[in-house]
Amino acid sequence: MVTFNLMITAEVDNVSSIQPMGGCDDPNFTYYFKLKCGNCGEVTEKETYVVLGEVVPIPKSRGNANLVQKCKLCGRDGTITMIPKSGRPLTGDDCEEGKYAPMMSFDCRGLEPVAYSFGGDQWKIVTTAGTVFENVDLSDGDWADYDEKGKMPTSISNLQSRFDVVKT
Ligand SMILES: [Zn+2]
């Protein structure tokens, strides 16, 4: 089993934090990515998704996982199990320093997540004036709005993500 952390960063203007609507452990927040088979290296064409609140039984096991998928090329089964309490919001300070923030950890058996995409309209953005924008869609890789309270433009651009292997 290998654990991967989804790490994200961005360039921001007047933004103090970016996170899923209900926090990183939001049971309904959808994480989208492709899968690479750990056996043959095949990468899925389509994106798959996992949600913390959705689990399925693992075949020939008593356990559950957030995803069980068979590789189309070699037929090997793989599982992904999400680990709550492993993420935190991406802050304006992180972005300023070019640092990545962990959103969620994934325990992976037989496959690994690659090419995360910022799908869905489930992001919560707080500006430096404390204004909250809800259900923001970041799938285009950027976002801009006007903060009436702070009387300033606010924006996110150049969203970046990667999966880091967690060393144990
Ligand atoms: Zn395979």
Side-chain angles (χ1 to χ4, degrees):
M1 186 133 59
V2 183
T3 304
F4 293 88
N5 272 352
L6 170 63
M7 311 291 291
I8 70 164
T9 192
E11 287 170 22
V12 298
D13 275 320
N14 300 321
V15 167
S16 80
S17 73
I18 304 170
Q19 64 180 309
M21 273 306 293
C24 292
D25 292 346
D26 184 335
N28 300 311
F29 185 82
T30 310
Y31 290 93
Y32 298 90
F33 44 75
K34 293 184 176 186
L35 294 169
K36 184 178 176 187
C37 177
N39 186 44
C40 72
E42 177 79 355
V43 175
T44 55
E45 265 175 50
K46 283 189 198 158
E47 276 171 5
T48 188
Y49 70 90
V50 292
V51 180
L52 189 60
E54 289 179 16
V55 293
V56 289
I58 300 170
K60 295 175 213 149
S61 150
R62 289 183 188 176
N64 290 320
N66 295 99
L67 179 80
V68 176
Q69 190 157 314
K70 192 182 280 291
C71 174
K72 278 198 177 126
L73 199 66
C74 73
R76 184 80 67 92
D77 269 331
T79 65
I80 292 185
T81 306
M82 297 162 81
I83 310 169
K85 298 189 176 71
S86 51
R88 65 168 177 82
L90 174 68
T91 66
D93 287 344
D94 291 328
C95 299
E96 203 91 326
E97 293 164 31
K99 280 202 267 184
Y100 284 69
M103 290 288 112
M104 176 56 72
S105 291
F106 303 90
D107 264 348
C108 301
R109 202 181 284 273
L111 46 79
E112 64 181 75
V114 292
Y116 172 71
S117 74
F118 291 83
D121 52 359
Q122 304 170 293
W123 293 91
K124 181 164 106 178
I125 295 161
V126 182
T127 71
T128 48
T131 304
V132 179
F133 289 92
E134 297 193 323
N135 296 309
V136 174
D137 183 353
L138 293 178
S139 57
D140 289 340
D142 53 25
W143 169 85
D145 211 321
Y146 188 77
D147 182 342
E148 298 286 348
K149 191 169 142 198
K151 296 189 170 48
M152 59 191 185
T154 179
S155 68
I156 297 172
S157 61
N158 198 21
L159 274 163
Q160 304 278 339
S161 68
R162 65 177 196 228
F163 287 101
D164 283 0
V165 174
V166 180
K167 298 200 171 60
T168 49

